[in-house]
Structures are given as C-alpha cells and as structure tokens.
Amino acid sequence: MKLRHLKNVAKIKIITEKCTGCGICIDVCPQEVIEIANGKAFLIDKDACMECGACGMNCPFASIDVKSGVGCTSAIISGWINGTEPNCDCSGGGSSGCC
C-alpha cells in the first residue's frame, strides 16, 4: 500500500539543471515519487513523498532538495494504521501542535 502525504506539504524539489538522469533517486525512493524522462528526474507524485531524504542524500549531483520531516510523516503513518486521513492537527484546534 502506497502511503499518501498531506496534500501540497512535501518539501521536495528537483534542480533539473544539476540532474544527469542517473536514476539513483528512483532506486532509493520507497514511494515511487520520481521518474526519469528526457534524461532528467521529475516528480510524478509529490504528495506520496514521506520526506525520508533518501533521494537527496544519495544524489551524487546534489540535484534534489528535500527538507526531511517537515510534512508530518507521522501523521501519514498514523492515518495508514488507523485507516483515516493523515492529520497532524496543523489547524490549531488540537493540542498536538503542528508539523
């Protein structure tokens, strides 16, 4: 089962000018967030990114910028376990704080 992130919060960016299309990012991404086309990596499912940082840490050309842990990955996992939508309570209505 592919985990889903909160919509539009994943902090990942591909710097295409640096990318050589080597594909290492695809090999290490557990969520199949990236594909290679025309010799460059591009995001195909940004909301599936768990911000683990594997793609950025393993890119030999520093072409991926990912801010690990800023998108409430624990909310995704909790939602998956409980069968609910991910919610880190960033609305300010709860006591758990924001991501």
Side-chain angles (χ1 to χ4, degrees):
M1 170 184 230
K2 191 180 211 181
L3 301 177
R4 303 299 307 160
H5 214 304
L6 301 171
K7 290 199 182 293
N8 301 314
V9 299
K11 302 294 184 197
I12 182 172
K13 179 182 177 184
I14 297 176
I15 305 159
T16 55
E17 299 81 28
K18 294 182 176 183
C19 179
T20 65
C22 69
I24 292 174
C25 53
I26 293 171
D27 293 339
V28 298
C29 178
Q31 288 291 94
E32 300 175 349
V33 172
I34 303 168
E35 280 190 3
I36 304 289
N38 299 319
K40 300 287 181 180
F42 68 97
L43 298 172
I44 58 167
D45 194 358
K46 185 176 180 177
D47 290 337
C49 177
M50 298 187 320
E51 298 171 331
C52 67
C55 58
M57 287 186 290
N58 286 285
C59 178
F61 305 99
S63 66
I64 301 177
D65 181 29
V66 60
K67 304 292 186 238
S68 297
V70 296
C72 299
T73 299
S74 63
I76 299 165
I77 295 169
S78 177
W80 178 58
I81 291 170
N82 296 315
T84 60
E85 286 294 314
N87 182 358
C88 65
D89 201 15
C90 286
S91 64
S95 61
S96 66
C98 192
C99 28

